[in-house]
Amino acid sequence: GAVVSQHPSRVICKSGTSVKIECRSLDFQATTMFWYRQFPKQSLMLMATSNEGSKATYEQGVEKDKFLINHASLTLSTLTVTSAHPEDSSFYICSAREGQDVELFFGEGSRLTVL
Amino acid sequence: GNSVTQMEGPVTLSEEAFLTINCTYTATGYPSLFWYVQYPGEGLQLLLKATKADDKGSNKGFEATYRKETTSFHLEKGSVQVSDSAVYFCALSLASGGSYIPTFGRGTSLIVHP
């Protein structure tokens, strides 16, 4: 199946700094990418949907200035957590799909810890 | 709106036991249905899918049948193994304005003891 690579898998940063997480589709063109945040007890929260070359669509309650999403190419989307605080600590997961396919391919996830 | 409801876990079983994880959905239209599995510390992987009513998805001994009349997509496995311990997510995908927006259930944790 298609491969989505997410990097870094773990990151620890100080409060107030910014962290960038990359999501790459390795063997297909990801026209749409989704960013999720996974809370304790496993529930997934969709943060935003990004289409290549256009602005991301954020879900209600997600601060777009806090969580900057860029999808500049068909194989790369980035999530930047700006001025991170301890409450931003979480597991962030990206997923991607090609064209109008219904199937999603997920990255391995990135564990962010803000001290 | 669309929604997916899964049974709450954790589900705890002994090895070789029969597994059922219930999943029901609400959707306007005809969604595609999925089960994803998440092993500890990892992202999600597609386990199986079904794209129309009465389709049966199967993989690694797991099965689920798309039941439109009961709006369900229950996951089953006849004999679980310790290595099946993971979190299982039921999901649907439905076209909305030309884009397929995925909706996930809250996940069900499965723990299999030797």
Side-chain angles (χ1 to χ4, degrees):
Chain A
V3 178
V4 174
S5 176
Q6 201 172 326
H7 178 80
S9 58
R10 293 180 182 274
V11 57
I12 301 172
C13 69
K14 292 183 179 178
S15 187
T17 60
S18 294
V19 174
K20 179 183 284 188
I21 300 170
E22 294 186 346
C23 180
R24 293 181 184 273
S25 58
L26 299 186
D27 51 3
F28 68 102
Q29 294 186 327
T31 48
T32 306
M33 285 189 170
F34 302 92
W35 284 95
Y36 293 87
R37 181 172 177 176
Q38 188 168 32
F39 291 94
K41 297 192 177 180
Q42 76 243 355
S43 67
L44 285 170
M45 182 192 81
L46 178 64
M47 299 174 67
T49 302
S50 73
N51 294 294
E52 184 265 338
S54 60
K55 289 184 179 180
T57 301
Y58 289 81
E59 295 298 303
Q60 193 172 5
V62 178
E63 299 175 59
K64 59 180 68 176
D65 294 330
K66 173 77 171 173
F67 299 99
L68 300 178
I69 292 171
N70 182 281
H71 191 167
S73 78
L74 283 171
T75 58
L76 175 65
S77 176
T78 60
L79 165 67
T80 302
V81 183
T82 62
S83 186
H85 288 94
E87 57 266 29
D88 298 325
S89 299
S90 195
F91 195 56
Y92 294 89
I93 305 176
C94 73
S95 68
R97 69 178 179 91
E98 182 176 18
Q100 295 299 309
D101 285 354
V102 295
E103 184 174 341
L104 295 180
F105 301 98
F106 283 83
E108 307 94 328
S110 299
R111 171 72 61 189
L112 170 64
T113 303
V114 184
L115 302 176
Chain B
N2 303 323
S3 67
V4 175
T5 303
Q6 292 181 234
M7 60 190 291
E8 287 196 27
V11 173
T12 304
L13 295 172
S14 297
E15 206 164 23
E16 299 183 3
F18 184 85
L19 168 71
T20 300
I21 300 179
N22 289 338
C23 171
T24 57
Y25 67 90
T26 303
T28 52
Y30 301 97
S32 295
L33 301 174
F34 306 84
W35 277 100
Y36 288 88
V37 58
Q38 183 181 29
Y39 297 102
E42 299 183 10
L44 278 69
Q45 303 172 29
L46 178 67
L47 181 60
L48 53 85
K49 67 179 179 182
T51 56
K52 61 182 189 298
D54 300 326
D55 270 2
K56 177 187 283 188
S58 61
N59 185 26
K60 300 180 181 179
F62 291 89
E63 292 183 340
T65 301
Y66 189 145
R67 301 283 188 203
K68 186 172 169 227
E69 64 276 11
T70 54
T71 61
S72 64
F73 193 54
H74 304 321
L75 181 69
E76 296 182 336
K77 186 173 185 182
S79 176
V80 294
Q81 306 300 313
V82 173
S83 57
D84 294 327
S85 299
V87 179
Y88 293 81
F89 290 90
C90 185
L92 68 82
S93 187
L94 193 66
S96 173
S99 174
Y100 286 89
I101 307 297
T103 302
F104 285 84
R106 294 179 62 84
T108 302
S109 175
L110 171 65
I111 301 169
V112 180
H113 293 296

